[in-house]
PDB file of all heavy atoms in Angstrom:
ATOM      1  N   MET A   4       0.003   9.041  -0.233  1.00 92.00           N
ATOM      2  CA  MET A   4       0.716  10.274   0.092  1.00 92.00           C
ATOM      3  C   MET A   4      -0.163  11.470  -0.252  1.00 92.00           C
ATOM      4  O   MET A   4      -0.822  11.492  -1.291  1.00 92.00           O
ATOM      5  CB  MET A   4       2.031  10.372  -0.686  1.00 92.00           C
ATOM      6  CG  MET A   4       2.795  11.661  -0.418  1.00 92.00           C
ATOM      7  SD  MET A   4       4.507  11.731  -1.029  1.00 92.00           S
ATOM      8  CE  MET A   4       4.328  11.563  -2.778  1.00 92.00           C
ATOM      9  N   ILE A   5      -0.169  12.458   0.632  1.00 94.00           N
ATOM     10  CA  ILE A   5      -0.783  13.749   0.350  1.00 94.00           C
ATOM     11  C   ILE A   5       0.324  14.644  -0.194  1.00 94.00           C
ATOM     12  O   ILE A   5       1.339  14.857   0.468  1.00 94.00           O
ATOM     13  CB  ILE A   5      -1.402  14.384   1.623  1.00 94.00           C
ATOM     14  CG1 ILE A   5      -2.439  13.455   2.250  1.00 94.00           C
ATOM     15  CG2 ILE A   5      -1.985  15.761   1.298  1.00 94.00           C
ATOM     16  CD1 ILE A   5      -3.671  13.227   1.417  1.00 94.00           C
ATOM     17  N   ILE A   6       0.144  15.165  -1.402  1.00 95.00           N
ATOM     18  CA  ILE A   6       1.175  15.980  -2.044  1.00 95.00           C
ATOM     19  C   ILE A   6       1.213  17.362  -1.408  1.00 95.00           C
ATOM     20  O   ILE A   6       0.218  18.062  -1.369  1.00 95.00           O
ATOM     21  CB  ILE A   6       0.914  16.093  -3.557  1.00 95.00           C
ATOM     22  CG1 ILE A   6       0.914  14.700  -4.179  1.00 95.00           C
ATOM     23  CG2 ILE A   6       1.960  16.990  -4.215  1.00 95.00           C
ATOM     24  CD1 ILE A   6       0.486  14.683  -5.630  1.00 95.00           C
ATOM     25  N   GLU A   7       2.387  17.725  -0.893  1.00 96.00           N
ATOM     26  CA  GLU A   7       2.582  19.020  -0.248  1.00 96.00           C
ATOM     27  C   GLU A   7       3.467  19.949  -1.072  1.00 96.00           C
ATOM     28  O   GLU A   7       3.447  21.156  -0.855  1.00 96.00           O
ATOM     29  CB  GLU A   7       3.182  18.820   1.140  1.00 96.00           C
ATOM     30  CG  GLU A   7       2.245  18.057   2.069  1.00 96.00           C
ATOM     31  CD  GLU A   7       2.843  17.816   3.434  1.00 96.00           C
ATOM     32  OE1 GLU A   7       3.869  18.439   3.780  1.00 96.00           O
ATOM     33  OE2 GLU A   7       2.284  16.983   4.156  1.00 96.00           O
ATOM     34  N   SER A   8       4.255  19.379  -1.983  1.00 96.00           N
ATOM     35  CA  SER A   8       5.103  20.211  -2.830  1.00 96.00           C
ATOM     36  C   SER A   8       5.302  19.533  -4.181  1.00 96.00           C
ATOM     37  O   SER A   8       5.199  18.314  -4.291  1.00 96.00           O
ATOM     38  CB  SER A   8       6.455  20.480  -2.169  1.00 96.00           C
ATOM     39  OG  SER A   8       7.172  19.279  -1.999  1.00 96.00           O
ATOM     40  N   GLN A   9       5.587  20.358  -5.180  1.00 96.00           N
ATOM     41  CA  GLN A   9       5.759  19.857  -6.549  1.00 96.00           C
ATOM     42  C   GLN A   9       6.684  20.798  -7.289  1.00 96.00           C
ATOM     43  O   GLN A   9       6.542  22.014  -7.199  1.00 96.00           O
ATOM     44  CB  GLN A   9       4.402  19.788  -7.235  1.00 96.00           C
ATOM     45  CG  GLN A   9       4.442  19.435  -8.692  1.00 96.00           C
ATOM     46  CD  GLN A   9       3.049  19.378  -9.308  1.00 96.00           C
ATOM     47  OE1 GLN A   9       2.060  19.157  -8.629  1.00 96.00           O
ATOM     48  NE2 GLN A   9       2.983  19.590 -10.603  1.00 96.00           N
ATOM     49  N   ILE A  10       7.638  20.227  -8.020  1.00 96.00           N
ATOM     50  CA  ILE A  10       8.549  21.038  -8.828  1.00 96.00           C
ATOM     51  C   ILE A  10       8.929  20.242 -10.076  1.00 96.00           C
ATOM     52  O   ILE A  10       9.126  19.037 -10.005  1.00 96.00           O
ATOM     53  CB  ILE A  10       9.809  21.447  -8.033  1.00 96.00           C
ATOM     54  CG1 ILE A  10      10.662  22.419  -8.837  1.00 96.00           C
ATOM     55  CG2 ILE A  10      10.601  20.254  -7.582  1.00 96.00           C
ATOM     56  CD1 ILE A  10      11.781  23.068  -8.058  1.00 96.00           C
ATOM     57  N   SER A  11       8.995  20.922 -11.210  1.00 95.00           N
ATOM     58  CA  SER A  11       9.425  20.289 -12.458  1.00 95.00           C
ATOM     59  C   SER A  11      10.857  20.695 -12.740  1.00 95.00           C
ATOM     60  O   SER A  11      11.193  21.882 -12.714  1.00 95.00           O
ATOM     61  CB  SER A  11       8.519  20.693 -13.614  1.00 95.00           C
ATOM     62  OG  SER A  11       7.239  20.135 -13.454  1.00 95.00           O
ATOM     63  N   THR A  16       9.031  15.579 -12.971  1.00 96.00           N
ATOM     64  CA  THR A  16       8.344  16.337 -11.937  1.00 96.00           C
ATOM     65  C   THR A  16       8.583  15.601 -10.627  1.00 96.00           C
ATOM     66  O   THR A  16       8.398  14.387 -10.548  1.00 96.00           O
ATOM     67  CB  THR A  16       6.834  16.440 -12.217  1.00 96.00           C
ATOM     68  OG1 THR A  16       6.643  17.208 -13.412  1.00 96.00           O
ATOM     69  CG2 THR A  16       6.102  17.120 -11.071  1.00 96.00           C
ATOM     70  N   ILE A  17       9.021  16.331  -9.618  1.00 95.00           N
ATOM     71  CA  ILE A  17       9.247  15.747  -8.292  1.00 95.00           C
ATOM     72  C   ILE A  17       8.114  16.200  -7.404  1.00 95.00           C
ATOM     73  O   ILE A  17       7.815  17.392  -7.321  1.00 95.00           O
ATOM     74  CB  ILE A  17      10.601  16.188  -7.706  1.00 95.00           C
ATOM     75  CG1 ILE A  17      11.733  15.746  -8.637  1.00 95.00           C
ATOM     76  CG2 ILE A  17      10.783  15.623  -6.305  1.00 95.00           C
ATOM     77  CD1 ILE A  17      13.090  16.283  -8.255  1.00 95.00           C
ATOM     78  N   ILE A  18       7.466  15.221  -6.768  1.00 95.00           N
ATOM     79  CA  ILE A  18       6.378  15.531  -5.843  1.00 95.00           C
ATOM     80  C   ILE A  18       6.746  14.972  -4.480  1.00 95.00           C
ATOM     81  O   ILE A  18       7.363  13.920  -4.366  1.00 95.00           O
ATOM     82  CB  ILE A  18       5.024  14.974  -6.334  1.00 95.00           C
ATOM     83  CG1 ILE A  18       5.128  13.493  -6.661  1.00 95.00           C
ATOM     84  CG2 ILE A  18       4.541  15.741  -7.530  1.00 95.00           C
ATOM     85  CD1 ILE A  18       3.818  12.875  -7.085  1.00 95.00           C
ATOM     86  N   GLY A  19       6.391  15.716  -3.434  1.00 94.00           N
ATOM     87  CA  GLY A  19       6.752  15.295  -2.097  1.00 94.00           C
ATOM     88  C   GLY A  19       5.664  15.577  -1.091  1.00 94.00           C
ATOM     89  O   GLY A  19       4.774  16.395  -1.327  1.00 94.00           O
ATOM     90  N   GLY A  20       5.758  14.874   0.026  1.00 94.00           N
ATOM     91  CA  GLY A  20       4.798  15.061   1.096  1.00 94.00           C
ATOM     92  C   GLY A  20       4.947  13.991   2.152  1.00 94.00           C
ATOM     93  O   GLY A  20       5.917  13.246   2.168  1.00 94.00           O
ATOM     94  N   HIS A  21       3.961  13.919   3.045  1.00 90.00           N
ATOM     95  CA  HIS A  21       3.925  12.875   4.063  1.00 90.00           C
ATOM     96  C   HIS A  21       3.333  11.623   3.445  1.00 90.00           C
ATOM     97  O   HIS A  21       2.396  11.711   2.659  1.00 90.00           O
ATOM     98  CB  HIS A  21       3.061  13.301   5.250  1.00 90.00           C
ATOM     99  CG  HIS A  21       3.723  14.312   6.118  1.00 90.00           C
ATOM    100  ND1 HIS A  21       3.700  15.664   5.830  1.00 90.00           N
ATOM    101  CD2 HIS A  21       4.429  14.181   7.252  1.00 90.00           C
ATOM    102  CE1 HIS A  21       4.362  16.315   6.769  1.00 90.00           C
ATOM    103  NE2 HIS A  21       4.816  15.444   7.644  1.00 90.00           N
ATOM    104  N   ILE A  33      -2.740   9.657  -9.598  1.00 90.00           N
ATOM    105  CA  ILE A  33      -2.911  11.012  -9.081  1.00 90.00           C
ATOM    106  C   ILE A  33      -4.098  11.607  -9.828  1.00 90.00           C
ATOM    107  O   ILE A  33      -4.037  11.762 -11.043  1.00 90.00           O
ATOM    108  CB  ILE A  33      -1.660  11.882  -9.291  1.00 90.00           C
ATOM    109  CG1 ILE A  33      -0.414  11.205  -8.729  1.00 90.00           C
ATOM    110  CG2 ILE A  33      -1.861  13.252  -8.651  1.00 90.00           C
ATOM    111  CD1 ILE A  33       0.878  11.926  -9.062  1.00 90.00           C
ATOM    112  N   PRO A  44      14.198  10.541  -5.138  1.00 89.00           N
ATOM    113  CA  PRO A  44      15.330  11.416  -4.836  1.00 89.00           C
ATOM    114  C   PRO A  44      16.013  11.045  -3.515  1.00 89.00           C
ATOM    115  O   PRO A  44      15.358  10.617  -2.571  1.00 89.00           O
ATOM    116  CB  PRO A  44      14.694  12.806  -4.723  1.00 89.00           C
ATOM    117  CG  PRO A  44      13.380  12.702  -5.403  1.00 89.00           C
ATOM    118  CD  PRO A  44      12.949  11.278  -5.228  1.00 89.00           C
ATOM    119  N   ILE A  47      15.981  12.852   1.232  1.00 83.00           N
ATOM    120  CA  ILE A  47      14.707  13.203   1.858  1.00 83.00           C
ATOM    121  C   ILE A  47      14.583  12.384   3.129  1.00 83.00           C
ATOM    122  O   ILE A  47      14.723  11.166   3.105  1.00 83.00           O
ATOM    123  CB  ILE A  47      13.509  12.908   0.918  1.00 83.00           C
ATOM    124  CG1 ILE A  47      13.718  13.539  -0.461  1.00 83.00           C
ATOM    125  CG2 ILE A  47      12.202  13.342   1.560  1.00 83.00           C
ATOM    126  CD1 ILE A  47      13.746  15.036  -0.477  1.00 83.00           C
ATOM    127  N   PHE A  51       8.964  12.839   5.673  1.00 88.00           N
ATOM    128  CA  PHE A  51       8.716  13.291   4.312  1.00 88.00           C
ATOM    129  C   PHE A  51       9.221  12.260   3.311  1.00 88.00           C
ATOM    130  O   PHE A  51      10.096  11.457   3.622  1.00 88.00           O
ATOM    131  CB  PHE A  51       9.376  14.642   4.050  1.00 88.00           C
ATOM    132  CG  PHE A  51       8.859  15.717   4.945  1.00 88.00           C
ATOM    133  CD1 PHE A  51       9.584  16.128   6.042  1.00 88.00           C
ATOM    134  CD2 PHE A  51       7.629  16.303   4.702  1.00 88.00           C
ATOM    135  CE1 PHE A  51       9.101  17.106   6.888  1.00 88.00           C
ATOM    136  CE2 PHE A  51       7.138  17.286   5.542  1.00 88.00           C
ATOM    137  CZ  PHE A  51       7.878  17.682   6.642  1.00 88.00           C
ATOM    138  N   PHE A  52       8.682  12.308   2.096  1.00 91.00           N
ATOM    139  CA  PHE A  52       9.062  11.373   1.047  1.00 91.00           C
ATOM    140  C   PHE A  52       8.835  12.065  -0.295  1.00 91.00           C
ATOM    141  O   PHE A  52       7.990  12.955  -0.396  1.00 91.00           O
ATOM    142  CB  PHE A  52       8.199  10.110   1.138  1.00 91.00           C
ATOM    143  CG  PHE A  52       8.668   8.982   0.267  1.00 91.00           C
ATOM    144  CD1 PHE A  52       9.805   8.267   0.590  1.00 91.00           C
ATOM    145  CD2 PHE A  52       7.967   8.646  -0.873  1.00 91.00           C
ATOM    146  CE1 PHE A  52      10.242   7.236  -0.211  1.00 91.00           C
ATOM    147  CE2 PHE A  52       8.390   7.602  -1.688  1.00 91.00           C
ATOM    148  CZ  PHE A  52       9.525   6.898  -1.350  1.00 91.00           C
ATOM    149  N   ALA A  53       9.583  11.687  -1.306  1.00 94.00           N
ATOM    150  CA  ALA A  53       9.411  12.276  -2.638  1.00 94.00           C
ATOM    151  C   ALA A  53       9.579  11.197  -3.700  1.00 94.00           C
ATOM    152  O   ALA A  53      10.307  10.228  -3.501  1.00 94.00           O
ATOM    153  CB  ALA A  53      10.417  13.390  -2.865  1.00 94.00           C
ATOM    154  N   ILE A  54       8.890  11.401  -4.817  1.00 95.00           N
ATOM    155  CA  ILE A  54       9.046  10.525  -5.970  1.00 95.00           C
ATOM    156  C   ILE A  54       9.168  11.370  -7.228  1.00 95.00           C
ATOM    157  O   ILE A  54       8.730  12.520  -7.266  1.00 95.00           O
ATOM    158  CB  ILE A  54       7.869   9.527  -6.126  1.00 95.00           C
ATOM    159  CG1 ILE A  54       6.527  10.264  -6.260  1.00 95.00           C
ATOM    160  CG2 ILE A  54       7.850   8.529  -4.989  1.00 95.00           C
ATOM    161  CD1 ILE A  54       5.348   9.360  -6.572  1.00 95.00           C
ATOM    162  N   GLU A  55       9.798  10.797  -8.247  1.00 96.00           N
ATOM    163  CA  GLU A  55       9.933  11.457  -9.545  1.00 96.00           C
ATOM    164  C   GLU A  55       8.976  10.780 -10.519  1.00 96.00           C
ATOM    165  O   GLU A  55       8.932   9.554 -10.599  1.00 96.00           O
ATOM    166  CB  GLU A  55      11.359  11.318 -10.071  1.00 96.00           C
ATOM    167  CG  GLU A  55      12.395  11.971  -9.200  1.00 96.00           C
ATOM    168  CD  GLU A  55      13.816  11.670  -9.649  1.00 96.00           C
ATOM    169  OE1 GLU A  55      14.019  10.844 -10.574  1.00 96.00           O
ATOM    170  OE2 GLU A  55      14.736  12.254  -9.081  1.00 96.00           O
ATOM    171  N   ILE A  56       8.215  11.593 -11.248  1.00 96.00           N
ATOM    172  CA  ILE A  56       7.321  11.090 -12.278  1.00 96.00           C
ATOM    173  C   ILE A  56       7.616  11.838 -13.567  1.00 96.00           C
ATOM    174  O   ILE A  56       8.415  12.780 -13.562  1.00 96.00           O
ATOM    175  CB  ILE A  56       5.827  11.256 -11.887  1.00 96.00           C
ATOM    176  CG1 ILE A  56       5.478  12.733 -11.652  1.00 96.00           C
ATOM    177  CG2 ILE A  56       5.481  10.409 -10.666  1.00 96.00           C
ATOM    178  CD1 ILE A  56       3.980  13.001 -11.428  1.00 96.00           C
ATOM    179  N   THR A  59       4.931  17.009 -15.887  1.00 92.00           N
ATOM    180  CA  THR A  59       3.536  17.401 -16.064  1.00 92.00           C
ATOM    181  C   THR A  59       3.378  18.860 -15.670  1.00 92.00           C
ATOM    182  O   THR A  59       4.091  19.352 -14.799  1.00 92.00           O
ATOM    183  CB  THR A  59       2.587  16.506 -15.238  1.00 92.00           C
ATOM    184  OG1 THR A  59       1.242  16.932 -15.458  1.00 92.00           O
ATOM    185  CG2 THR A  59       2.887  16.569 -13.756  1.00 92.00           C
ATOM    186  N   SER A  61       0.324  19.908 -14.748  1.00 92.00           N
ATOM    187  CA  SER A  61      -0.817  19.902 -13.834  1.00 92.00           C
ATOM    188  C   SER A  61      -0.352  20.173 -12.411  1.00 92.00           C
ATOM    189  O   SER A  61       0.738  19.762 -12.020  1.00 92.00           O
ATOM    190  CB  SER A  61      -1.524  18.544 -13.874  1.00 92.00           C
ATOM    191  OG  SER A  61      -2.005  18.274 -15.167  1.00 92.00           O
ATOM    192  N   ASP A  62      -1.163  20.872 -11.643  1.00 94.00           N
ATOM    193  CA  ASP A  62      -0.855  21.167 -10.239  1.00 94.00           C
ATOM    194  C   ASP A  62      -1.527  20.119  -9.360  1.00 94.00           C
ATOM    195  O   ASP A  62      -2.751  20.045  -9.300  1.00 94.00           O
ATOM    196  CB  ASP A  62      -1.341  22.563  -9.874  1.00 94.00           C
ATOM    197  CG  ASP A  62      -0.987  22.950  -8.460  1.00 94.00           C
ATOM    198  OD1 ASP A  62      -0.150  22.275  -7.824  1.00 94.00           O
ATOM    199  OD2 ASP A  62      -1.542  23.946  -7.971  1.00 94.00           O
ATOM    200  N   PHE A  63      -0.709  19.306  -8.677  1.00 94.00           N
ATOM    201  CA  PHE A  63      -1.224  18.216  -7.857  1.00 94.00           C
ATOM    202  C   PHE A  63      -1.169  18.508  -6.356  1.00 94.00           C
ATOM    203  O   PHE A  63      -1.529  17.659  -5.545  1.00 94.00           O
ATOM    204  CB  PHE A  63      -0.475  16.929  -8.143  1.00 94.00           C
ATOM    205  CG  PHE A  63      -0.660  16.413  -9.543  1.00 94.00           C
ATOM    206  CD1 PHE A  63       0.422  16.043 -10.297  1.00 94.00           C
ATOM    207  CD2 PHE A  63      -1.925  16.294 -10.086  1.00 94.00           C
ATOM    208  CE1 PHE A  63       0.264  15.554 -11.582  1.00 94.00           C
ATOM    209  CE2 PHE A  63      -2.103  15.807 -11.382  1.00 94.00           C
ATOM    210  CZ  PHE A  63      -1.000  15.430 -12.123  1.00 94.00           C
ATOM    211  N   VAL A  64      -0.685  19.677  -5.947  1.00 96.00           N
ATOM    212  CA  VAL A  64      -0.545  19.993  -4.517  1.00 96.00           C
ATOM    213  C   VAL A  64      -1.917  19.895  -3.846  1.00 96.00           C
ATOM    214  O   VAL A  64      -2.902  20.442  -4.327  1.00 96.00           O
ATOM    215  CB  VAL A  64       0.079  21.380  -4.320  1.00 96.00           C
ATOM    216  CG1 VAL A  64       0.079  21.769  -2.837  1.00 96.00           C
ATOM    217  CG2 VAL A  64       1.491  21.418  -4.876  1.00 96.00           C
ATOM    218  N   GLY A  65      -1.955  19.137  -2.751  1.00 95.00           N
ATOM    219  CA  GLY A  65      -3.182  18.937  -1.999  1.00 95.00           C
ATOM    220  C   GLY A  65      -3.919  17.657  -2.360  1.00 95.00           C
ATOM    221  O   GLY A  65      -4.794  17.224  -1.630  1.00 95.00           O
ATOM    222  N   LEU A  66      -3.544  17.026  -3.480  1.00 94.00           N
ATOM    223  CA  LEU A  66      -4.197  15.789  -3.880  1.00 94.00           C
ATOM    224  C   LEU A  66      -3.594  14.578  -3.177  1.00 94.00           C
ATOM    225  O   LEU A  66      -2.448  14.627  -2.696  1.00 94.00           O
ATOM    226  CB  LEU A  66      -4.104  15.578  -5.392  1.00 94.00           C
ATOM    227  CG  LEU A  66      -4.808  16.588  -6.284  1.00 94.00           C
ATOM    228  CD1 LEU A  66      -4.613  16.223  -7.747  1.00 94.00           C
ATOM    229  CD2 LEU A  66      -6.291  16.651  -5.939  1.00 94.00           C
ATOM    230  N   ILE A  68      -2.238  10.698  -3.427  1.00 90.00           N
ATOM    231  CA  ILE A  68      -1.731   9.669  -4.334  1.00 90.00           C
ATOM    232  C   ILE A  68      -2.092   8.312  -3.744  1.00 90.00           C
ATOM    233  O   ILE A  68      -1.999   8.116  -2.539  1.00 90.00           O
ATOM    234  CB  ILE A  68      -0.194   9.730  -4.430  1.00 90.00           C
ATOM    235  CG1 ILE A  68       0.280  11.012  -5.051  1.00 90.00           C
ATOM    236  CG2 ILE A  68       0.350   8.536  -5.196  1.00 90.00           C
ATOM    237  CD1 ILE A  68       1.781  11.126  -5.074  1.00 90.00           C
TER     238      ILE A  68
END
Side-chain angles (χ1 to χ4, degrees):
M4 178 168 62
I5 302 294
I6 300 172
E7 296 178 14
S8 64
Q9 174 180 335
I10 187 170
S11 291
T16 295
I17 300 172
I18 52 177
H21 286 83
I33 307 172
I47 308 295
F51 299 101
F52 190 73
I54 58 173
E55 298 173 353
I56 60 173
T59 180
S61 299
D62 183 14
F63 295 131
V64 174
L66 296 180
I68 295 176

